[in-house]
Amino acid sequence: MNFISNAHAQGGAAGGGMEMIIMLAVFGLIFYFMIFRPQSKRVKAQKNLMASLSKGDEVLTNGGLVGKIAKITGDNDYVILSLSEQSQVTIKKDFITAVLPKGSIQSL
């Protein structure tokens, strides 16, 4: 009788292992579709934005500054933003979050 109950207990443990593998696979799929995939899409979109910047584009920065790109420096890491006729700032390209439609600065 002892042998039968031990065999039964081992059979139940093997089923629990398979359930654990299925549960880990489901969590892996959830992680991929909810976290990893959207994040990689955002990174790709940001890289495309950085590559498409050119002189004269009106942009919005992380800090809330709105300006027109006056110059892109030689090393392509920095841009000079013209905030008004008299003021310019130099910022890293990475801090640009969006390219605004033409004429956005005038409407502000």
Side-chain angles (χ1 to χ4, degrees):
M1 188 81 163
N2 249 351
F3 296 113
I4 295 173
S5 61
N6 285 342
H8 228 281
Q10 288 177 353
M18 184 57 99
E19 289 174 6
M20 183 67 106
I21 291 172
I22 292 171
M23 214 166 33
L24 285 173
V26 168
F27 281 131
L29 287 172
I30 290 171
F31 176 78
Y32 176 76
F33 284 109
M34 298 290 284
I35 297 171
F36 183 74
R37 189 167 177 236
Q39 179 65 26
S40 64
K41 282 186 175 185
R42 270 186 242 117
V43 168
K44 187 177 180 181
Q46 181 72 8
K47 284 184 182 180
N48 289 338
L49 175 70
M50 294 301 111
S52 70
L53 290 177
S54 62
K55 182 179 176 181
D57 286 345
E58 296 178 3
V59 295
L60 174 69
T61 66
N62 280 346
L65 296 175
V66 176
K68 187 179 283 192
I69 296 178
K71 182 181 176 185
I72 298 176
T73 61
D75 58 357
N76 274 342
D77 280 342
Y78 293 91
V79 296
I80 297 174
L81 276 184
S82 176
L83 302 177
S84 67
E85 296 297 322
Q86 299 85 19
S87 63
Q88 291 183 339
V89 285
T90 303
I91 63 166
K92 275 187 75 73
K93 264 187 169 181
D94 299 340
F95 290 102
I96 295 174
T97 57
V99 176
L100 303 173
K102 298 285 183 194
S104 296
I105 294 175
Q106 298 300 327
S107 66
L108 297 176

